[in-house]
Amino acid sequence: MKLLDTLFKNIKKEQNTINDTFGLDISSGSIKALKLETKPTDNTLIVKEAHYTKLHDSIIKMGMVKDKTRVKIILRDFFLNKNFGKIAVLNVPEVQSFATTFKIEDTIETSKIKDIILHEAQKEIPFPLKETYYDFKILNRQENKQNVLFVASPKVVLNDYISILKDVSIKTEVFELEPLSSFRAIKKGIKKLKNNVLIINVGFALTNINIFENNSLQIIAYLPYGSEHIDEFISHDLKISNTQANVLRKTDGFKSKNQKFKEVLTKEVLKHIIANIKKLIYFYQYNKNLTSGFEKIVLVGGFSVTPGFDKFIENEFKKETLIFDPLAINKIELPEQFSYLKDKKVSFTQAIGLALRGLKKNCVSCDLNLLKRAVL
């Protein structure tokens, strides 16, 4: 009888955990949260709760919380009178994540694999592993070798997020890599692609570049430039306000008839971003001995919907460039009260990916999670 009581308690606890979990995307420029539920009638998904707010004044910079008090106040207001739940699935700020891939012998005993992986990882990670939250995953096996993806982030950085969220009654159970949440949100759209996929996310303060091979993350890279730097350059060069520059970019973008504006938009910051992405592609292909490039390029994030940006990237890289609607490809129903998401759906890609993970019964351990091996 006691065994049955314990079993039912565990089932109830697991169900409550699932229903209480949501995706929370915190970046330098904004906070986005999304909660999904599965409709029992047809097994499709529906947005149960969603919210968005902009961040200003660099209170979060390079992934680090610079003003804990203000972030806490903003989050209290953010969650006020909203039914997200009490358990958050978050991204590790990519600039504060360290990832490396390496090979280990396929003949290593199972009991020794972890020790070998930690030993190899410490050669690559620039600080003691005891000062990090970390996780690893065996990607595949080739020629008697196991390819391992190892990720880590400083405890001091993630502890700030954990502590702040705890103060607003939110428990953090998952910290995963940003490219994994993005990929999860668009996976159904690119599952038929046979070759490598390049994903570009020009964010507010950073540009993330990721390469996936056979649905497996291979390359994680970022550049310290984003849409705020592009807007600042436009503002400076055209002698207009930052707000005017932002509006021009979002409304006219690369389709603008103003030749001067188009020239300013595509040089300096963006030119530097493109040049570095090309270097990364060359490095990847050289090390993999690849003769062919990528089948497709996928754009995610808010900047991707800048008018004409997809065609600009297509011309630069000579590859078809796609932008997916993460709501449509995941068959997520949008109730009327969240209709504003129609215009922000692409910028919500990561939040959607996090929320999709939150739906899984084993969301803590179903993929890389820097908190999975942690004692909090």
Side-chain angles (χ1 to χ4, degrees):
M1 197 67 176
K2 286 183 178 180
L3 180 62
L4 285 174
D5 288 341
T6 302
L7 180 62
F8 284 129
K9 283 180 182 178
N10 288 339
I11 291 173
K12 187 175 181 181
K13 181 180 179 182
E14 185 176 45
Q15 288 174 338
N16 288 338
T17 299
I18 296 167
N19 295 333
D20 223 22
T21 306
F22 65 98
L24 180 60
D25 179 20
I26 303 177
S27 67
S28 299
S30 67
I31 301 174
K32 304 180 186 76
L34 190 78
K35 183 177 183 178
L36 297 173
E37 280 194 0
T38 303
K39 294 172 66 178
T41 51
D42 56 7
N43 214 35
T44 57
L45 301 177
I46 185 170
V47 174
K48 195 66 178 177
E49 189 66 82
H51 194 46
Y52 163 86
T53 190
K54 288 185 177 181
L55 294 180
H56 302 283
D57 302 328
S58 299
I59 59 175
I60 296 178
K61 194 168 186 178
M62 298 297 285
M64 300 182 70
V65 179
K66 297 297 185 180
D67 191 331
K68 297 178 187 178
T69 302
R70 284 190 63 194
V71 172
K72 196 181 302 180
I73 291 171
I74 290 170
L75 283 172
R76 280 205 181 105
D77 182 63
F78 186 93
F79 291 116
L80 188 65
N81 299 323
K82 298 186 180 63
N83 186 29
F84 279 104
K86 297 297 181 182
I87 300 174
V89 178
L90 285 87
N91 279 322
V92 180
E94 190 154 345
V95 68
Q96 293 296 335
S97 64
F98 297 84
T100 182
T101 57
F102 50 82
K103 299 178 187 295
I104 61 173
E105 295 294 333
D106 199 23
T107 54
I108 296 174
E109 295 177 27
T110 304
S111 60
K112 296 180 180 180
I113 286 180
K114 180 180 177 180
D115 290 338
I116 297 295
I117 288 174
L118 294 183
H119 177 74
E120 292 299 316
Q122 188 60 86
K123 297 176 184 178
E124 306 291 335
I125 303 298
F127 34 70
L129 285 179
K130 66 181 181 180
E131 297 176 7
T132 73
Y133 292 121
Y134 65 82
D135 197 9
F136 54 83
K137 181 179 183 180
I138 295 177
L139 300 175
N140 50 44
R141 290 173 170 81
Q142 290 178 329
E143 300 177 355
N144 299 320
K145 299 280 187 178
Q146 299 181 84
N147 294 312
V148 179
L149 171 62
F150 186 95
V151 295
S153 184
K155 288 181 178 179
V156 66
V157 174
L158 300 193
N159 281 344
D160 280 346
Y161 290 91
I162 294 169
S163 174
I164 290 169
L165 287 168
K166 184 178 179 181
D167 285 345
V168 295
S169 302
I170 301 295
K171 182 180 180 182
T172 308
E173 287 210 341
V174 175
F175 261 116
E176 78 166 6
L177 294 179
E178 290 185 2
L180 295 180
S181 55
S182 293
F183 187 78
R184 186 180 301 110
I186 61 176
K187 186 176 180 179
K188 290 182 179 178
I190 63 178
K191 64 181 180 180
K192 294 181 180 179
L193 304 186
K194 297 177 182 178
N195 297 327
N196 306 335
V197 177
L198 173 68
I199 298 179
I200 302 173
N201 180 3
V202 180
F204 178 73
L206 299 168
T207 294
N208 299 320
I209 311 114
N210 305 115
I211 296 172
F212 283 82
E213 180 182 328
N214 297 322
N215 294 337
S216 182
L217 180 62
Q218 298 293 315
I219 293 288
I220 301 172
Y222 74 88
L223 299 170
Y225 310 99
S227 61
E228 69 165 339
H229 304 99
I230 294 172
D231 290 346
E232 284 173 4
F233 184 77
I234 294 170
S235 169
H236 177 269
D237 229 41
L238 296 184
K239 295 180 173 54
I240 58 178
S241 70
N242 267 28
T243 301
Q244 289 174 310
N246 181 268
V247 170
L248 267 176
R249 176 178 61 78
K250 287 183 176 180
T251 54
D252 295 353
F254 298 82
K255 294 183 177 181
S256 175
K257 295 180 181 179
N258 184 329
Q259 195 58 36
K260 174 65 175 175
F261 170 73
K262 284 179 68 174
E263 288 176 4
V264 173
L265 176 62
T266 56
K267 70 178 185 180
E268 294 300 330
V269 179
L270 199 53
K271 187 176 180 181
H272 186 72
I273 289 173
I274 297 299
N276 277 276
I277 293 175
K278 288 180 177 178
K279 288 179 183 177
L280 180 70
I281 292 173
Y282 174 79
F283 170 81
Y284 176 72
Q285 291 177 330
Y286 178 81
N287 280 276
K288 288 277 188 175
N289 293 318
L290 298 175
T291 55
S292 60
F294 300 90
E295 184 180 355
K296 309 283 184 186
I297 295 175
V298 179
L299 304 179
V300 299
F303 190 89
S304 65
V305 294
T306 300
F309 183 52
D310 54 341
K311 294 302 177 185
F312 172 78
I313 291 294
E314 212 164 75
N315 290 334
E316 287 289 331
F317 294 94
K318 310 304 179 188
K319 292 291 179 183
E320 183 180 359
T321 301
L322 306 171
I323 302 172
F324 291 110
D325 177 348
L327 294 174
I329 61 177
N330 289 291
K331 297 180 180 178
I332 299 173
E333 183 180 323
L334 200 60
E336 183 60 32
Q337 66 266 37
F338 304 121
S339 59
Y340 69 89
L341 281 180
K342 291 179 181 178
D343 295 328
K344 296 183 181 296
K345 56 194 175 187
V346 178
S347 66
F348 261 74
T349 297
Q350 289 183 356
I352 291 169
L354 293 168
L356 287 170
R357 177 166 183 165
L359 285 176
K360 297 180 180 295
K361 292 181 180 180
N362 60 337
C363 72
V364 171
S365 58
C366 68
D367 207 336
L368 285 170
N369 173 14
L370 273 69
L371 298 184
K372 183 167 60 181
R373 305 171 194 275
V375 178
L376 301 177

